[in-house]
Amino acid sequence: MPKVIYVTPSGDRREIDAKAGTTVMENAVRNDVPGIEAECGGACACATCHVYVDEAWTAKLPEPEAMEEDMLDFAFAPQDNSRLSCQIIVNDDIDGITVTIPEEQA
Ligand code: FES
């Protein structure tokens, strides 16, 4: 099972076994990872699932769709490595992906 590692702004790490085909957001919500509210339930319409993807993983992800790009403009403090975690689908190629939750959301 691929792992997803969530890092809080204070540096706490949560390592979660994620089923392939689920999203980084869904695994955060199911496991009560703080700071990922996912108010729209994964419809790419709220930006409350915003995360910073560790640089080692950014190139392994598909480019964001236009809708995700647009919604990231509404995220708190977006950076070049910002993504919406509801749009990141877990699979074996990204086993160990590490994402940091923005301070403003935690
Ligand atoms: Fe709303 Fe990701 S859950 S944009």
Side-chain angles (χ1 to χ4, degrees):
M1 241 183 205
K3 286 192 189 315
V4 180
I5 297 156
Y6 300 87
V7 181
T8 68
S10 56
D12 290 339
R13 291 169 70 89
R14 291 275 309 274
E15 192 171 307
I16 287 166
D17 289 322
K19 210 169 134 199
T22 60
T23 67
V24 169
M25 175 280 276
E26 287 167 335
N27 287 284
V29 170
R30 259 188 228 134
N31 291 282
D32 294 322
V33 174
I36 298 190
E37 299 298 330
E39 284 169 10
C40 77
C44 199
C46 73
T48 60
C49 66
H50 171 213
V51 293
Y52 301 125
V53 176
D54 187 285
E55 305 289 347
W57 302 98
T58 50
K60 297 191 175 174
L61 297 178
E63 290 292 311
E65 303 275 339
M67 200 171 159
E68 181 182 352
E69 292 268 22
D70 289 349
M71 198 43 64
L72 277 167
D73 291 341
F74 296 96
F76 290 110
Q79 300 176 0
D80 287 348
N81 60 341
S82 288
R83 294 298 299 258
L84 296 180
S85 60
C86 68
Q87 302 301 304
I88 306 174
I89 298 171
V90 180
N91 60 49
D92 288 330
D93 292 342
I94 58 167
D95 181 18
I97 186 171
T98 304
V99 300
T100 299
I101 295 148
E103 187 151 20
E104 297 83 351
Q105 281 169 219

